[in-house]
Amino acid sequence: MSSRRPYKLDRVAIRMVKEPPLYSSEPLRSPEAAVKVIADMLRQYDREAFCIVNLRNDLSPINMNIVSTGTLNASLAHPREILKSAVLSNASATMLFHNHPSGNLTPSQEDIEITDRMSKLFAMAEMPLLDHIIIGNGDQYYSFKENSIMPIGTQMFARDPAEIKFENVAEPVVSEKRGSYHMTPEQRQEKIKQITDKLEQGVHQIFESDNYRAYLSTMAKFHSYSLNNTILIAMQKPGATLVAGYTAWQKDHNRHVKKGEKGIQIIAPSPYKVKQERDALDPKTGKPQMDAQGNPLKEIIEVERPAFKVATVFDISQTEGKELPSIGVNELSGGVEGYDALFDALKATCPVPIAFEDIPSGAKGYYHTEDHRIALQEGMSQMQTVKTLIHEMSHERMHSHEKEKPVEERLSRRSMEVEAESVAFVVGTALSAEHPELKLDFSDYSFGYIAGWSSGKETAELKASLGRIQATASEMISEIEGHLQELQKSEQLQAVDGIDQKAAAMEPVKLSVVAEPSVIDKPSILANLHKEMPKTQKPAVSKGKEECL
């Protein structure tokens, strides 16, 4: 390279690449036939796909291009990518298509915006946008043309240089909702703060509810057992939560012990009284009382002697009858749309192994601090499984090194449970805000769980940990979103490959294209497209282009 000319400007060539064509049982003599083929193709997708059909001056199709594939309810469609194939194909006109796998054909605000935007851009390029069609289930579709939404307005051009305004690079347009990876860190922190505020309010409402007052009244009827008895109960029935005697269950709680249940043996107080003679004391002076001869008067009193006996109690799981008041911690039920992908994303985010097992204690899950693994109770609903996994992942991330700290610096069990459940609630709520199809509503479980582990209605544990909860939730949401995006891209590639293989395996049918104005027997949105083409439109030459759909 000459030292006088140290800089270079590379020259590049842009070409279209031919992919496996779509086949039809009849010649594509009109754009209406092209619509049928595109609709059949889009219905094979289980998520949104956005494509463009490029047309000649006589409205016969040149080719089609899948611009993007997205999620169940969104596809990323940037004007730059939409324009590319139309320009390379020397198209005289264009049509846009995208599908709604849900079957709901109502255009979203983003659908309308991208249609308006592309209508103006194609008009400037003298390649008019004839229609934008949303494909639903079966033979259903929504046409912007049929619903008199197109053409959209008139494009006005500047007449003076001062009227021209240059703007920043266009933002991508999403065909329903953007993912959280479009959020700035500040926006995400603000969103998480709103969720934790909702969490505090929900837990506070638990403490103020009539249910909580009834719960406290019921709990007051259960004995507070000594440390020794607590150990005895745990040794005999590790999963015990509420225990009472056989009669107490019947009298105080309207429940009875199930037939065949084995009782839990504890040491119960069994004091007894004996009669004892002693000197009678003056109630005023406290001194012994004397008779006339000066001898101390005697009296018989009952004295209670401490003693203990073996008593039998039963856990609530060994009884049946009237339900006890609760503070709302009920196991979550129901499925999660996209459960497999979400679970895979959670597994990819979690640095330790995850396994399902039958947990004898009745717990829904646990993080093993020594084996560094997470166990989940098998047989739970998808909703409960997702919530429990995020809860245990939070324990792993926040509390795996607690035992290495000095005793005085370790978090209490209350604080750790409040933190883990709070993070699970925030992560689930944030993911649902960005992916509404997930519907991860943990409030029925989380509010009561956090209230149950809090030391009182002041929720000291929750307030002291808000900063840690917000930071941990933000990290987990970013990582989970990243893995969801990677899985989505992989699924999109697999879906396209599958469709290509299916098309290649079909019986080839040679498609003929008639270079004459199309004739449509029945009135339709396409019947009038040809005569509505701008009169100033010049035929475009498409030398060397593949005429395939």
Side-chain angles (χ1 to χ4, degrees):
M1 183 182 294
S2 172
S3 60
R4 296 181 181 179
R5 293 183 294 173
Y7 306 107
K8 69 175 182 178
L9 181 63
D10 292 331
R11 299 190 337 183
V12 299
I14 301 175
R15 300 180 178 87
M16 290 192 299
V17 178
K18 178 182 174 182
E19 294 187 348
L22 298 177
Y23 293 96
S24 173
S25 60
E26 58 185 37
L28 302 183
R29 298 182 182 276
S30 69
E32 189 170 48
V35 171
K36 182 179 184 303
V37 175
I38 294 297
D40 289 342
M41 183 272 295
L42 287 181
R43 289 192 189 100
Q44 300 180 50
Y45 281 80
D46 63 350
R47 57 201 64 237
E48 284 204 12
F50 193 102
C51 69
I52 179 174
V53 173
N54 300 303
L55 305 170
R56 297 185 181 84
N57 193 50
D58 61 3
L59 300 186
S60 60
I62 302 172
N63 55 37
M64 62 81 66
N65 173 241
I66 299 177
V67 179
S68 71
T69 53
T71 63
L72 290 172
N73 65 345
S75 63
L76 186 67
H78 195 289
R80 177 181 59 246
E81 308 304 327
I82 300 173
L83 282 167
K84 187 180 297 181
S85 70
V87 173
L88 292 176
S89 301
N90 288 336
S92 294
T94 58
M95 295 180 71
L96 299 179
F97 298 83
H98 82 276
N99 63 323
H100 280 183
S102 65
N104 182 3
L105 295 176
T106 305
S108 66
Q109 182 61 39
E110 289 76 12
D111 291 338
I112 297 171
E113 289 176 3
I114 191 63
T115 305
D116 181 35
R117 195 172 183 181
M118 294 312 304
S119 176
K120 293 174 181 176
L121 288 174
F122 278 126
M124 293 172 64
E126 297 187 351
M127 295 183 291
L129 176 61
L130 304 181
D131 201 356
H132 182 182
I133 296 178
I134 301 173
I135 305 298
N137 300 326
D139 296 328
Q140 297 179 333
Y141 68 88
Y142 178 93
S143 164
F144 278 71
K145 181 76 173 180
E146 277 188 344
N147 287 274
S148 303
I149 298 179
M150 297 186 64
I152 303 177
T154 303
Q155 183 68 27
M156 302 299 293
F157 299 101
R159 295 181 177 273
D160 186 276
E163 298 176 6
I164 300 176
K165 295 182 180 180
F166 292 94
E167 298 181 356
N168 295 329
V169 177
E171 291 290 331
V173 176
V174 179
S175 149
E176 280 188 19
K177 189 169 182 62
R178 297 184 178 183
S180 67
Y181 46 84
H182 290 281
M183 285 187 180
T184 65
E186 293 77 14
Q187 289 173 327
R188 172 170 291 161
Q189 288 301 322
E190 179 59 29
K191 182 70 175 177
I192 290 175
K193 183 180 182 305
Q194 293 174 4
I195 296 173
T196 52
D197 288 345
K198 177 183 176 182
L199 177 64
E200 283 191 278
Q201 182 180 3
V203 174
H204 181 71
Q205 288 174 351
I206 291 288
F207 283 118
E208 296 299 323
S209 67
D210 291 337
N211 284 345
Y212 185 67
R213 283 187 283 271
Y215 169 79
L216 290 180
S217 176
T218 300
M219 292 303 106
K221 298 177 182 178
F222 288 94
H223 292 291
S224 179
Y225 290 97
S226 66
L227 176 60
N228 288 337
N229 274 335
T230 301
I231 296 173
L232 285 173
I233 292 171
M235 290 174 61
Q236 297 171 72
K237 194 169 184 62
T241 54
L242 293 174
V243 297
Y246 187 94
T247 304
W249 279 118
Q250 293 179 327
K251 181 180 177 181
D252 297 335
H253 308 294
N254 292 324
R255 297 177 69 87
H256 62 271
V257 177
K258 300 175 186 176
K259 185 177 181 179
E261 290 290 345
K262 184 179 179 181
I264 304 168
Q265 306 297 310
I266 62 170
I267 304 299
S270 181
Y272 63 94
K273 296 180 179 180
V274 296
K275 292 182 178 181
Q276 179 179 322
E277 184 182 68
R278 73 170 188 180
D279 292 342
L281 302 178
D282 188 316
K284 293 183 179 180
T285 63
K287 295 180 179 181
Q289 293 179 337
M290 300 297 179
D291 61 13
Q293 289 75 30
N295 297 318
L297 292 174
K298 300 294 182 179
E299 63 179 357
I300 303 298
I301 61 170
E302 284 189 344
V303 179
E304 188 175 88
R305 303 289 187 184
F308 298 89
K309 67 176 181 179
V310 175
T312 302
V313 294
F314 297 87
D315 180 56
I316 186 174
S317 62
Q318 300 174 288
T319 68
E320 56 189 5
K322 182 181 178 181
E323 289 293 326
L324 297 183
S326 69
I327 52 176
V329 185
N330 299 314
E331 182 166 335
L332 299 172
S333 61
V336 176
E337 189 170 340
Y339 170 78
D340 291 337
L342 176 60
F343 193 87
D344 287 344
L346 293 173
K347 285 180 65 176
T349 304
C350 184
V352 300
I354 302 168
F356 289 90
E357 63 182 59
D358 183 15
I359 303 175
S361 67
K364 293 177 173 55
Y366 63 84
Y367 168 63
H368 201 296
T369 56
E370 295 181 358
D371 294 347
H372 301 290
R373 62 183 178 85
I374 288 175
L376 299 175
Q377 175 63 47
E378 57 189 16
M380 296 190 298
S381 69
Q382 292 180 345
M383 185 72 71
Q384 184 67 52
T385 298
V386 169
K387 191 225 66 83
T388 301
L389 178 53
I390 300 175
H391 177 106
E392 301 305 334
M393 287 170 61
S394 303
H395 274 313
E396 184 279 328
R397 189 170 293 231
M398 303 176 77
H399 311 133
S400 57
H401 300 292
E402 281 297 314
K403 290 186 177 181
E404 300 171 9
K405 298 178 181 179
V407 176
E408 63 274 9
E409 295 180 11
R410 295 177 190 174
L411 288 174
S412 67
R413 176 73 187 280
R414 288 182 181 276
S415 293
M416 289 192 290
E417 291 301 326
V418 167
E419 286 186 348
E421 188 64 22
S422 298
V423 170
F425 174 80
V426 173
V427 171
T429 305
L431 288 176
S432 293
E434 303 307 327
H435 305 277
E437 69 277 6
L438 294 177
K439 300 178 182 177
L440 300 177
D441 184 2
F442 303 154
S443 55
D444 284 346
Y445 190 97
S446 296
F447 292 168
Y449 189 95
I450 294 168
W453 278 102
S454 297
S455 55
K457 63 172 61 180
E458 294 78 15
T459 60
E461 293 81 8
L462 177 58
K463 292 178 179 177
S465 300
L466 278 178
R468 283 165 49 84
I469 292 167
Q470 292 171 355
T472 303
S474 180
E475 291 175 3
M476 292 181 67
I477 293 166
S478 296
E479 294 176 27
I480 295 168
E481 281 282 9
H483 291 301
L484 280 173
Q485 191 177 3
E486 292 173 5
L487 290 168
Q488 176 186 321
K489 290 179 180 178
S490 176
E491 290 176 2
Q492 290 171 2
L493 292 175
Q494 292 176 6
V496 173
D497 289 343
I499 291 172
D500 289 344
Q501 292 172 8
K502 189 173 181 179
M506 294 175 66
E507 185 68 27
V509 178
K510 187 173 182 180
L511 305 181
S512 60
V513 177
V514 180
E516 295 180 359
S518 58
V519 178
I520 303 175
D521 295 333
K522 60 181 181 178
S524 73
I525 59 169
L526 298 164
N528 298 320
L529 291 180
H530 187 270
K531 64 183 181 181
E532 291 183 7
M533 289 283 289
K535 295 182 180 180
T536 58
Q537 182 74 34
K538 296 180 180 180
V541 180
S542 55
K543 293 182 180 180
K545 296 294 186 294
E546 297 291 339
E547 298 181 357
C548 61
L549 192 67

